[in-house]
């Protein structure tokens, strides 16, 4: 296992960032300030977060510690089979990849939505 920490924000975590959630703020700070911490914002989840809280996408995309994940062909093929694009893109981003050999953890404020999926969850509720 790698010592790097890879965390994917789902749309609920992104919306919580704009609401002052201290746990999301700590993740953003770590991703910016500490080596080995990586924070990802899947584009489809970013769209849904911005719909729920306008301005979220522009704000998060401007932060230096967050990498926006584009909708590439493998993600499109995964999303096409799912009901919600935001959740599907976040789940796809959490799967192992060359730059994330151990996969990533999905950070969320609604962990119940992820029950029964094969992803690790970080509950951002205080």
């Amino acid at each position: 296992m790698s010592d790097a920490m890879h965390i994917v924000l789902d749309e609920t975590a992104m919306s919580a960032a704009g609401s002052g959630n201290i746990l999301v703020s700590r993740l953003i700070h770590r991703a910016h300030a500490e080596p080995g911490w990586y924070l990802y914002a899947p584009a489809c989840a970013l769209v849904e977060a911005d719909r729920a809280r306008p301005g979220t996408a522009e704000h998060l995309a401007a932060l230096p510690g967050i990498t926006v994940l584009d909708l590439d062909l493998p993600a499109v093929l995964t999303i096409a089979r799912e009901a919600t694009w935001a959740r599907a893109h976040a789940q796809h981003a959490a799967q192992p990849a060359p730059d994330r050999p151990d996969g990533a953890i999905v950070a969320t404020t609604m962990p119940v939505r992820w029950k029964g999926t094969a992803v690790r969850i970080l509950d951002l509720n205080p």
Side-chain angles (χ1 to χ4, degrees), residues 87 91 95 106 111-121:
R87 181 176 154 181
Q91 185 170 351
Q95 300 307 308
V106 175
V112 70
R113 291 177 55 212
W114 294 95
K115 188 173 182 171
T117 63
V119 296
R120 295 173 290 160
I121 299 300

Side-chain angles (χ1 to χ4, degrees), residues 17-101:
S19 300
N21 181 301
I22 190 69
L23 298 175
V24 180
S25 295
R26 287 179 184 165
L27 288 176
I28 292 169
H29 173 73
R30 283 192 145 171
H32 174 68
E34 294 184 29
W37 279 77
Y38 303 94
L39 202 53
Y40 304 98
C44 292
L46 195 56
V47 168
E48 287 304 316
D50 199 71
R51 286 180 180 164
R53 187 175 178 83
T56 299
E58 187 175 1
H59 175 71
L60 289 177
L63 295 173
I66 296 180
T67 301
V68 175
L69 299 176
D70 295 333
L71 192 57
D72 59 7
L73 181 58
V76 167
L77 296 174
T78 298
I79 290 169
R81 295 186 294 265
E82 300 296 329
T84 65
W85 288 24
R87 181 176 154 181
H89 199 186
Q91 185 170 351
H92 173 76
Q95 300 307 308
D99 59 335
R100 298 179 301 277

